[in-house]
Amino acid sequence: MEIKIDPFTKEEFYPKRKNQIFASEQNKIDFHNEQARNDRFLKKEIDFKITKNYKILKSFLIDQSEIKVDKIEMTREGFDFRFINHFTKDYYEGIIIQFLGIYNIQYAMLGTKKETILIQKIN
């Protein structure tokens, strides 16, 4: 077999298998750990904001499955309306409205000035 170059260490090696990419199992593990660490670093700031938003939504619900709150209250708690992880359209009081969501909680802005926020736990 021909000499290959390990993508992690850049060392030359003779592969023991035709499809071998790394010189050793440890190099393979270290390579993938470094990639995962870089991915986490890139997502860290946004994941933090989404998690904070989720905790705020959850704190409003307490033991309820639905509640209406003022937008000002959510802003005061530090909710950042720019960070969600999904959206959907659903019926509310016979009207289809857009819900924004984080994990198993969704919210919608109600009223002409969008000052009332409907928060719902998704089953």
Side-chain angles (χ1 to χ4, degrees):
M1 288 203 193
E2 62 185 61
I3 294 176
K4 286 190 172 183
I5 298 176
D6 186 300
F8 184 65
T9 62
K10 309 297 184 222
E11 67 182 283
E12 293 182 348
F13 71 98
Y14 288 99
K16 295 176 182 138
R17 296 180 328 274
K18 187 178 176 181
N19 64 346
Q20 184 176 349
I21 298 171
F22 298 93
S24 70
E25 188 65 26
Q26 191 59 51
N27 287 359
K28 178 181 172 182
I29 292 167
D30 292 344
F31 175 82
H32 290 293
N33 283 345
E34 185 174 295
Q35 279 192 326
R37 192 171 24 262
N38 290 340
D39 286 348
R40 280 192 307 275
F41 180 75
L42 288 173
K43 298 175 192 176
K44 183 180 177 182
E45 187 176 332
I46 291 174
D47 286 348
F48 175 79
K49 291 177 181 182
I50 287 174
T51 301
K52 182 179 178 184
N53 277 356
Y54 178 74
K55 289 177 181 178
I56 292 168
L57 290 172
K58 196 173 166 184
S59 73
F60 280 110
L61 283 174
I62 306 169
D63 291 332
Q64 304 169 71
S65 61
E66 181 177 298
I67 191 169
K68 289 181 183 176
V69 297
D70 290 333
K71 186 176 181 180
I72 294 170
E73 275 185 81
M74 289 180 65
T75 305
R76 194 177 310 132
E77 291 296 320
F79 193 86
D80 190 333
F81 288 91
R82 297 174 301 163
F83 295 93
I84 61 168
N85 65 7
H86 69 273
F87 64 92
T88 185
K89 290 185 179 183
D90 206 348
Y91 283 97
Y92 180 72
E93 295 182 349
I95 302 170
I96 295 179
I97 58 174
Q98 179 152 353
F99 281 92
L100 307 170
I102 301 173
Y103 308 124
N104 66 333
I105 300 175
Q106 65 185 13
Y107 67 93
M109 299 177 185
L110 304 175
T112 55
K113 295 185 179 182
K114 309 283 187 203
E115 294 299 319
T116 301
I117 309 295
L118 169 67
I119 304 171
Q120 295 179 330
K121 189 171 188 175
I122 303 169
N123 296 332

